[in-house]
Amino acid sequence: MNKFIYLASQSPRRRQLLAQIGVEHELLLPGPDEDAEALEAVRAGELPETYCARVTAAKLDAALARLAARGLPPAPILCADTTVAVDDLILGKPEDDADAHRILSLLSGRSHRVITAVAVASTTQRAATLNVSQVEFAPLSAARIDRYIASREPFGKAGAYAIQSQAAAWIVKIAGSYTGIMGLPLFETTALLDKFGFEL
């Protein structure tokens, strides 16, 4: 039975969620020689669900190579990626204040999808899953959006918001997985880890 996993993600929320279900983990992060951002480039015409699954698989490939190169003890590696989409439009991490305002204005007063892909691999097996949730925002005034941007909370987050931040006050309705919207759907993650010998 496996005792721990490697988490190839810098997200503190994913660490928190793994700890919540009792999964011991160690970080396996890119080195300075890796261009992690390049893996997240969107391809022309790519649908959000396809994009999210592809990026997660690419991150997992990079993490497997990293594990081998560093000569670390073997253990399963978990990767995840979260994508926010309005229809077929992928809303990534905002580049600056204006981009954050554009993204949040698109989300205002309507529903959007939060897609989280999770993939796990060891030296002998690989498995992946995709969780899709619907989130409906109340209408947001420009002033409210500006106040949120001033908090700096939108930066580094797909869709320019975090559900566990003050943006929770805008959410009219959720259909799907709250932890998936946070960045790691725990029901699906538990099912994946079960295939790798974890008894959660």
Side-chain angles (χ1 to χ4, degrees), residues 53 56 79 116-120 127-131 185 187-189 191-192 195:
T56 303
C79 285
T116 297
V118 185
V120 182
T129 189
L130 194 73
N131 174 270
F187 177 80
E188 290 87 343
T189 300
L192 280 183
K195 297 176 181 179

Side-chain angles (χ1 to χ4, degrees), residues 60-103:
L60 187 56
D61 289 339
L64 285 163
R66 192 179 309 140
L67 182 70
R70 293 179 187 174
L72 296 169
I77 302 170
L78 185 147
C79 285
D81 190 74
T82 299
T83 300
V84 174
V86 169
D87 299 326
D88 291 338
L89 179 64
I90 295 169
L91 301 176
K93 299 169 185 174
E95 296 175 3
D96 52 28
D97 286 23
D99 196 34
H101 202 285
R102 175 189 69 85
I103 291 169

